[in-house]
Amino acid sequence: MYLIVGLGNPEEKYFKTFHNLGFLAAGDVADSLGVKFRKKECESSVAEAFIGGEKVIIARPLTYMNASGRAVKQLVAKYKISQEELVVLYDDYDLPKAHVRIRPAGSAGTHNGMRSVIAELGHGDFARIRIGIRDPQVNIPIINYVLADIPKADYDAYAAACKRAAEAAVCLAKGDKIDLVMGKYNA
């Protein structure tokens, strides 16, 4: 079983912000597997799919970004997910805009949602798929930037990055080795 979690904020006003790229990528995972977010459990909106007979849980925490770890911890406990079966999708200010970067483990960097996940789980030993948002031409505080709407001129690039991130997550859930997925999808 795999748990794929897209980090974001649940209110509609945040839907097209940089901080919701994890939510958008999780939506792309669900779309590619032909499922919808129909359940609410563990403080998350959840979709269930099957890949090769194995269950895959796709989740969007409803706890808001900075408390994402609370929902992830509940989902991990409920579904008895090992660290090898967890994939987290999220935006990353430390990467150039619309770049996708996959890592098997690591720190939270500047991301408060990931800080919450790592703090609640007690480790950072799980796969993460990051979607870069840094634009060197924008010079505003990070908190204002991540909650800003994605400019219309950049939306297609971010939509494509979310689809690539979703494809990578599905490959991991199919059992592809992370090194191969990194080689294929890291920009």
Side-chain angles (χ1 to χ4, degrees):
M1 180 182 302
Y2 263 80
L3 171 60
I4 299 170
V5 180
L7 303 186
N9 289 307
E11 288 183 65
E12 190 174 327
K13 69 182 180 179
Y14 297 114
F15 185 69
K16 290 189 177 182
T17 66
F18 292 107
H19 235 10
N20 262 36
L21 290 176
F23 265 29
L24 295 176
D28 288 339
V29 171
D31 288 347
S32 74
L33 298 175
V35 297
K36 303 273 185 217
F37 291 89
R38 297 188 192 275
K39 284 171 63 174
K40 299 266 192 289
E41 63 184 14
C42 301
E43 297 185 83
S44 301
S45 178
V46 173
E48 294 181 0
F50 287 87
I51 296 177
E54 291 291 321
K55 191 176 204 176
V56 178
I57 305 297
I58 308 141
R60 292 171 165 164
L62 301 175
T63 54
Y64 291 88
M65 184 63 80
N66 293 351
S68 297
R70 196 171 73 223
V72 174
K73 183 178 182 178
Q74 292 173 47
L75 289 161
V76 164
K78 176 175 181 160
Y79 290 102
K80 297 174 179 53
I81 300 295
S82 70
Q83 60 195 45
E84 295 83 16
E85 298 168 322
L86 175 61
V87 179
V88 179
L89 303 153
Y90 63 101
D91 64 286
D92 193 334
Y93 186 79
D94 296 328
L95 291 175
K97 70 179 181 178
H99 279 61
V100 174
R101 184 70 44 99
I102 302 151
R103 289 286 177 257
S107 71
T110 59
H111 201 280
N112 288 333
M114 280 300 288
R115 278 191 193 122
S116 173
V117 172
I118 290 169
E120 290 286 343
L121 295 179
H123 64 84
D125 298 328
F126 52 87
R128 69 268 327 272
I129 302 175
R130 305 175 297 156
I131 303 162
I133 64 170
R134 178 175 282 166
D135 185 341
Q137 300 192 19
V138 177
N139 189 19
I140 61 174
I142 293 175
I143 186 64
N144 296 342
Y145 184 71
V146 298
L147 295 176
D149 282 349
I150 297 168
K152 286 185 176 32
D154 292 334
Y155 199 78
D156 287 345
Y158 283 108
C162 287
K163 286 195 185 317
R164 283 180 55 82
E167 289 171 12
V170 169
C171 286
L172 291 172
K174 286 179 178 176
D176 292 357
K177 299 290 184 205
I178 195 158
D179 290 343
L180 296 175
V181 177
M182 287 168 57
K184 182 174 181 180
Y185 289 97
N186 280 351

